[in-house]
Amino acid sequence: MLRLGIMGGTFDPIHYGHLVAAEMARTEFALNQVLFVPTGLSPHKKQRRMTDAQIRYHMVEMAIRDNPQFIISSIELERRGPSYTVDTLKELQQIYLQHELFFITGTDALREIFDWHKAEEILTLTRFIAATRPGYGAQEFLTKMALEYPQFMKKIHVLEVPALAISSTDIRSRLAKGQPIRYLLPDEVYNYIQATSPYPSYSQ
Ligand code: ATP
Ligand code: MG
């Protein structure tokens, strides 16, 4: 069986935290490919205005271009309504019939997994690789999980990655304040943001 990593996110914008997590997961778990899936309408992020989906998608495309094992999917952009992970996984399962699925998240996202729509079903469809993210320990979550959902423990893997305290929120707020963002994300994405200013007077 082949192994497919799935990296979902708003990628508003994509940065080195995402890329490092994806690459470490790929090598550590012998994934054949990692599929980046930019969200259309995120059910978790209704409260703020997201950058246009085409722009976020384009920035991901540019960021992964030089890695032949990184690929991108627009399935969540083509779907109407909120992007539920459970629907995405079911769709991908039909496309990647020969693959075992590994959903890659940061530990911040992992900690919220039981608030996700149909969380238990999600855990029957995929394994999880949770990349450590500064400020978001996983120990408390794992203890709770072991007590309440012992049957899912073997589906969750915490992966230590070199700590990168980079977030899209911070990048947007830096842009709003006129602070530098160079080297937090790939040069191509940096140049695109400089040239097209997709984050006009952003305020969180
Ligand atoms: P925002 O601040 O807008 O929420 P973000 O930086 O968290 O943006 P997302 O698009 O929300 O980026 O994240 C997509 C996935 O990547 C999530 O699972 C998130 O936990 C993970 N991720 C993001 N940044 C990092 C990082 N620095 N280290 C590890 N994982 C990360
Ligand atoms: Mg986030």
Side-chain angles (χ1 to χ4, degrees), residues 8-11 15 18 44-45 48 108-109 112 133 136 167-169 172:
T10 38
F11 303 119
H15 54 68
H18 301 126
H44 309 289
K45 294 187 178 168
R48 81 168 181 84
D108 60 316
E112 289 166 9
R133 192 171 184 184
Y136 299 94
S167 73
S168 303
T169 300
R172 293 189 304 268

Side-chain angles (χ1 to χ4, degrees), residues 7-193:
M7 181 94 202
T10 38
F11 303 119
D12 193 7
I14 188 163
H15 54 68
Y16 280 129
H18 301 126
L19 295 165
V20 166
E23 181 66 0
M24 298 293 158
R26 185 185 72 74
T27 55
E28 204 58 34
F29 288 82
L31 308 176
N32 298 89
Q33 287 178 307
V34 176
L35 181 68
F36 286 72
V37 186
T39 52
L41 282 176
S42 169
H44 309 289
K45 294 187 178 168
K46 278 180 206 140
Q47 68 282 11
R48 81 168 181 84
R49 191 182 59 80
M50 267 192 290
T51 305
D52 187 77
Q54 304 309 323
I55 292 175
R56 291 183 290 110
Y57 183 93
H58 184 53
M59 290 191 287
V60 174
E61 253 184 336
M62 287 190 286
I64 66 171
R65 195 169 285 157
D66 63 355
N67 187 331
Q69 276 139 327
F70 285 179
I71 52 178
I72 184 167
S73 165
S74 60
I75 49 172
E76 290 202 356
L77 305 188
E78 281 148 24
R79 197 180 303 145
R80 283 165 193 277
S83 301
Y84 289 118
T85 300
V86 67
D87 300 330
T88 303
L89 289 170
K90 280 197 250 175
E91 249 183 85
L92 291 176
Q93 205 182 33
Q94 294 310 309
I95 301 167
Y96 292 91
L97 293 168
Q98 313 294 328
H99 291 70
E100 185 178 3
L101 306 184
F102 292 75
F103 199 86
I104 304 164
T105 67
T107 39
D108 60 316
L110 178 74
R111 292 195 327 191
E112 289 166 9
I113 182 178
F114 284 104
D115 298 333
W116 293 11
H117 183 57
K118 302 196 179 166
E120 294 198 21
E121 190 176 351
I122 290 176
L123 281 157
T124 64
L125 293 164
T126 187
R127 286 162 72 177
F128 269 83
I129 301 171
T132 50
R133 192 171 184 184
Y136 299 94
Q139 202 44 58
E140 207 177 309
F141 169 85
L142 291 174
T143 307
K144 188 164 174 265
M145 181 93 189
L147 283 171
E148 293 177 27
Y149 302 94
Q151 71 275 31
F152 293 131
M153 282 302 278
K154 60 181 185 309
K155 293 228 151 180
I156 294 181
H157 312 275
V158 174
L159 175 67
E160 291 283 339
V161 300
L164 283 175
I166 306 176
S167 73
S168 303
T169 300
D170 179 57
I171 290 173
R172 293 189 304 268
S173 99
R174 286 174 161 277
L175 284 165
K177 290 186 263 179
Q179 293 171 339
I181 60 157
R182 193 164 180 199
Y183 305 124
L184 297 176
L185 33 65
D187 279 347
E188 255 197 283
V189 180
Y190 172 75
N191 290 334
Y192 175 81
I193 291 173

